[in-house]
Amino acid sequence: MIDYKIELEEMVSKKNLMNSYKLYFLKAILINVSPIRKTFTFNQMACWMVAYSFEDVCHLQKRIRPLDKLFDIAVLAIEEEDLMESSSVAKVCMILEKTTNPKICKELRSLCNYVPYRLLAYRWQNELKGRTDKEKNLLLEQLSQS
């Protein structure tokens, strides 16, 4: 079993150069994939990533890693969607999935720019070669659904 408090401390450590997205991406997949539910959108993935990181970034009161945007989205959600730092994972996810706030939607989309690519790209190296990041992400989403 993964002890997320220990993992969080490792991520915050200056010795660790990885970013935190991968942990929350993996957590979202492990918790939300089942024999019944095998597919979801990148937007749903981003909402889950933020929801699972929400308590951690609120507790830390700062970014988990220097360039992570999870903290920024948590702050936006608190300020513009009336979430509280104590909001549950389910509530955070539901609010983010239903939001029409353009700033939050843009930030959610940006979370999925690189994480899925890094985890899935090895399977389709020839198809992705020479494409822009945006093209790769769109193609990865299509290929992952096939």
Side-chain angles (χ1 to χ4, degrees):
M1 200 66 180
I2 295 173
D3 185 333
Y4 285 99
K5 290 185 181 191
I6 292 172
E7 291 294 324
L8 181 60
E9 290 304 317
E10 279 292 313
M11 284 190 292
V12 175
S13 166
K14 295 196 185 303
K15 296 177 188 175
N16 189 345
L17 300 177
M18 72 169 254
N19 65 40
S20 60
Y21 298 123
K22 293 174 187 171
L23 178 67
Y24 296 108
F25 184 85
L26 178 60
K27 186 174 182 178
I29 290 172
L30 290 174
I31 292 173
N32 292 287
V33 171
S34 70
I36 297 167
R37 184 175 194 174
K38 297 178 184 178
T39 62
F40 41 82
T41 67
F42 279 168
N43 185 64
Q44 289 170 316
M45 175 61 68
C47 292
W48 291 331
M49 288 168 62
V50 173
Y52 293 130
S53 71
F54 195 81
E55 180 182 5
D56 295 337
V57 297
C58 289
H59 170 74
L60 290 171
Q61 297 291 310
K62 65 178 186 174
R63 286 178 175 71
I64 295 171
R65 298 298 308 149
L67 299 176
D68 285 353
K69 294 183 178 182
L70 297 167
F71 177 78
D72 301 334
I73 299 171
V75 170
L76 270 174
I78 290 167
E79 291 175 351
E80 300 194 18
E81 295 292 337
D82 294 327
L83 285 171
M84 298 187 315
E85 291 184 17
S86 60
S87 295
S88 69
V89 169
K91 183 172 183 173
V92 172
C93 194
M94 180 189 69
I95 295 294
L96 293 175
E97 280 192 74
K98 292 181 178 185
T99 190
T100 57
N101 181 309
K103 287 190 277 186
I104 294 174
C105 291
K106 180 182 178 192
E107 292 297 324
L108 286 169
R109 281 191 305 274
S110 76
L111 285 181
C112 289
N113 283 345
Y114 300 106
V115 175
Y117 171 71
R118 289 179 183 142
L119 294 177
L120 299 174
Y122 75 94
R123 297 194 64 206
W124 299 290
Q125 291 176 20
N126 293 333
E127 293 89 336
L128 299 172
K129 189 174 183 176
R131 297 182 185 263
T132 66
D133 285 340
K134 184 176 181 178
E135 291 170 336
K136 287 176 184 179
N137 289 333
L138 292 172
L139 188 55
L140 275 171
E141 188 169 14
Q142 292 168 356
L143 290 168
S144 68
Q145 292 175 6
S146 63

